[in-house]
Amino acid sequence: TAASSAAARLTAEHVVPAAIAGCDALHVSGSSLFAPTMATAIEAAVKGAKSAGLRVSFDPNVRPELLAGPYRPIFDAIIAQADVVIPSVEDLEVLFPGQGPDAAARELLSRGASWVACKRGADGATLYGPDTKVARAAFPVEEVDPTGAGDAFSAGLLVGLLKELPPEAALAQACAAGALAVTRQGPMEGLGKRADIDAMLAAG
């Protein structure tokens, strides 16, 4: 079971400075908050990353089973330190019911995030900043398996922001990475290499 998995045995004591030495960013997926001990470890990692000057990104990845536990306080604690928040439109509806994506994104920005990227699946994505709103249509691909697309999107976006690409370019890169991910069966098999992403961007 998840509660007895190796991941659930991770604790804050396992988070040491050497684990983030040489890193530029720390990305947290909300699905990793399923176990209290692991959630505590992640909170410690986020605190350490911020102290070390790393950029922290957070994909809420809301799961129904998490909502029955202490997910919201943990979400609030992480979001208060996150530089980049990458929810799906469904995440925003659960976390901020009835507000709509624009208002929910503004709420996240008001809590300290520099960027909020709302994933819309086949409808593309929208990137929000304090004075920015950029929308991007999805790249047309044949979907085989959507597993891992959100993670690929997050990676593409974070790399773009770390390289200080313009918002439009960072969002396009994220959408290309996410689109490539759905073209293969499995969570890792569709992850595109740099050349694959560049080719998709060049094709429009």
Side-chain angles (χ1 to χ4, degrees):
T1 64
S4 60
S5 68
R9 297 176 185 273
L10 185 67
T11 69
E13 295 179 355
H14 294 105
V15 180
V16 295
I20 59 175
C23 295
D24 294 315
L26 172 69
H27 179 69
V28 177
S29 172
S31 61
S32 63
L33 301 172
F34 67 91
T37 54
M38 190 170 182
T40 301
I42 290 171
E43 287 186 272
V46 169
K47 183 178 180 180
K50 294 295 291 185
S51 296
L54 274 63
R55 185 170 298 191
V56 174
S57 60
F58 180 43
D59 179 351
N61 203 359
V62 177
R63 304 293 177 88
E65 61 269 25
L66 289 175
L67 296 180
Y71 177 80
R72 191 54 187 260
I74 295 171
F75 166 83
D76 288 335
I78 294 177
I79 205 64
Q81 300 182 77
D83 303 289
V84 185
V85 187
I86 313 173
S88 67
V89 67
E90 292 81 9
D91 289 338
L92 292 179
E93 179 55 34
V94 172
L95 295 169
F96 305 102
Q99 290 194 27
D102 286 358
R106 286 194 296 272
E107 172 66 23
L108 291 172
L109 290 169
S110 74
R111 297 189 185 195
S114 298
W115 297 102
V116 176
C118 178
K119 298 173 291 185
R120 301 175 184 273
D123 293 325
T126 305
L127 180 62
Y128 300 86
D131 303 304
T132 305
K133 178 181 176 182
V134 179
R136 166 78 203 200
F139 286 87
V141 294
E142 182 177 349
E143 182 179 311
V144 175
D145 180 7
T147 308
D151 296 322
F153 177 97
S154 295
L157 179 69
L158 191 55
V159 168
L161 294 176
L162 286 170
K163 290 187 174 182
E164 298 185 349
L165 296 181
E168 296 84 355
L171 183 61
Q173 180 171 273
C175 288
L180 284 168
V182 309
T183 62
R184 300 282 296 279
Q185 185 70 38
M188 302 291 289
E189 289 75 4
L191 294 179
K193 294 182 171 58
R194 178 77 263 174
D196 301 321
I197 294 173
D198 286 346
M200 178 165 281
L201 290 170

